[in-house]
């Protein structure tokens, strides 16, 4: 029974839980060059993160995605995945990662019950990859994709953020790479979270429609009804297993069917990525250690706070002060 219904009669079936705000990359659309990270005391423990996951599954949530920052830099991530992976009622257990830590962790994630991986990949050019991530090693990420395949992951999806003047010339190459590796790929429109220092979003915005046109100049796309409970609109190609998805918060708003909420690593239950409406779960967790009922009651009550939609614009103004690393998308 799903108890999580908001004022717009939308059912929350999916929670994205950030397990760290830290990352070994500094992607230009996610963080500014010099970041300050949360002190340990403010960060939820692994047990608290597990309790939150348990509370949501007991309230009817079917899908959990672990995010960051970069979830694989969190100490004890293997144990947390193993504990969450055993929760009754969990139908879909996923992670969004930059892939650099997958050679080390892919087996334990898969053994722990994780079923799906999203791996960020914005360029196939080593130098450009380094510039877009500020610190990333492309070879490590590609090796990470192979480690995930070796571990048994069948549903792997690449996530690519296209920035005008930065990587739009690689759109078809990225699709060809996905076809070769037999993985899916989603193209994401950049979202105005945090005052990133690297570029003006008004200048780099590249719409999903332009991405689709570029792809269709090489690969005809057929709309597909498939869904992963996420915001991607999927398309198929007649000669490949790979799906192509578009996450288009600006050009194809998807808020009317929103089914998700987020929890930051400091225990803020964020009702919407594009707004600051939130409640503090950490205070409840630490006031009633080990008790689920107060936490569940707080989560149910918070549904009334869930906003109808985001108000993002593409003019480059920062609409949400918090950086993307607080939620991982
Ligand atoms: S912006 Fe907010 S309302 Fe819209 S889909 Fe995302 S979380 Fe839901």
């Amino acid at each position: 029974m799903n108890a999580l219904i908001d004022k717009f009669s939308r059912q929350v079936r999916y929670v994205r839980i950030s397990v760290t705000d830290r990352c070994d990359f500094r992607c230009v659309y996610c963080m500014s060059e010099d970041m300050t990270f949360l002190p340990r005391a403010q960060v939820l423990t692994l047990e608290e993160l597990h309790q939150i996951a348990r509370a949501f599954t007991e309230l009817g949530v079917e899908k959990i995605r672990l995010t960051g920052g970069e979830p694989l830099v969190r100490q004890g991530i293997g144990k947390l995945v193993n504990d969450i992976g055993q929760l009754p009622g969990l139908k879909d257990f996923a992670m969004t990662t930059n892939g650099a830590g997958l050679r080390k962790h892919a087996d334990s994630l898969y053994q722990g019950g994780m079923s799906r991986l999203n791996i960020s990949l914005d360029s196939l050019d080593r130098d450009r990859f380094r510039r877009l991530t500020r610190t990333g090693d492309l070879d490590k990420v590609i090796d990470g994709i192979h480690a995930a395949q070796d571990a048994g992951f069948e549903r792997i999806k690449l996530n690519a953020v296209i920035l005008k003047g930065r990587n739009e010339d690689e759109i078809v190459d990225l699709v060809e790479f996905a076809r070769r590796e037999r993985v899916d790929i989603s193209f994401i429109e950049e979202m105005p979270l945090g005052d990133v220092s690297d570029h003006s979003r008004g200048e780099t915005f590249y719409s999903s429609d332009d991405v689709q046109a570029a792809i269709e100049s090489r690969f005809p796309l057929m709309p597909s009804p498939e869904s992963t409970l996420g915001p991607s609109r999927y398309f198929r190609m007649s000669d490949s297993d790979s799906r192509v998805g578009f996450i288009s918060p600006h050009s194809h708003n998807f808020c009317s069917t929103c089914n998700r909420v987020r929890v930051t690593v400091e225990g803020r239950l964020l009702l919407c990525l594009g707004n600051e409406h939130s409640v503090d779960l950490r205070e409840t967790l630490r006031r009633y250690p080990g008790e689920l009922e107060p936490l569940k009651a707080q989560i149910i009550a918070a549904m009334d706070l869930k906003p109808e939609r985001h108000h993002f614009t593409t003019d480059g103004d920062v609409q949400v002060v918090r950086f993307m690393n607080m939620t991982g998308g």
Side-chain angles (χ1 to χ4, degrees), residues 20 22-27 29-31 66-74 95-103 105 109 117-123 129 133 135-145 157-159 328:
T20 181
R22 294 166 189 259
C23 184
D24 47 355
F25 290 7
R26 292 285 179 282
C27 299
Y29 49 79
C30 175
M31 295 192 195
L66 299 185
T67 67
E70 169 49 44
L72 296 179
V73 304
R74 174 82 196 232
M95 178 183 278
T96 297
T97 170
N98 65 27
L102 282 173
R103 181 51 70 187
H105 290 283
L109 298 179
L117 286 176
N118 287 19
I119 303 169
S120 307
L121 186 67
D122 305 314
S123 175
F129 185 86
T133 62
T135 60
D137 175 345
L138 175 63
D139 297 325
K140 246 181 147 180
V141 173
I142 293 178
D143 180 55
I145 295 168
K157 184 171 76 159
L158 306 177
N159 278 349

Side-chain angles (χ1 to χ4, degrees), residues 282-298:
R282 184 183 63 206
E283 206 264 333
T284 306
L285 278 163
R286 295 185 178 175
R287 179 182 291 202
Y288 308 101
E291 292 181 45
L292 273 190
E293 292 317 313
L295 191 60
K296 287 162 71 175
Q298 189 184 18

Side-chain angles (χ1 to χ4, degrees), residues 49 105 109 111 123 126 151 181 191 232 242 262 266 308:
L49 288 164
H105 290 283
L109 298 179
Q111 303 307 329
S123 175
R126 285 191 185 82
E181 296 292 336
M191 288 175 245
S232 270
S242 297
R262 293 160 174 86
E266 63 201 319
E308 186 170 14

Side-chain angles (χ1 to χ4, degrees), residues 197-268:
S197 51
D198 172 79
H199 58 278
S200 149
R201 292 191 174 103
E203 289 158 18
T204 57
F205 176 67
Y206 202 82
S207 84
S208 294
D209 296 337
D210 293 335
V211 174
Q212 185 171 348
I215 296 170
E216 295 208 286
S217 68
R218 177 82 174 73
F219 303 110
L221 296 177
M222 300 164 293
S224 162
E226 295 161 280
S227 163
T228 57
L229 275 189
S232 270
R233 292 171 298 124
Y234 283 110
F235 292 75
R236 285 279 184 178
M237 295 171 278
S238 58
D239 59 350
S240 166
D241 286 343
S242 297
R243 292 181 297 189
V244 174
F246 298 100
I247 299 178
S248 323
H250 302 287
S251 58
H252 298 264
N253 185 289
F254 39 70
C255 296
S256 61
T257 55
C258 181
N259 61 3
R260 55 201 162 274
V261 293
R262 293 160 174 86
V263 179
T264 69
V265 72
E266 63 201 319
R268 271 182 76 197

Side-chain angles (χ1 to χ4, degrees), residues 175-195:
V175 173
E176 280 175 344
F177 177 82
R179 291 162 58 99
R180 268 199 315 280
E181 296 292 336
R182 304 173 74 83
V183 298
D184 297 334
I185 183 164
S186 270
F187 292 93
I188 307 175
E189 290 177 344
E190 185 182 7
M191 288 175 245
L193 273 73
D195 191 6

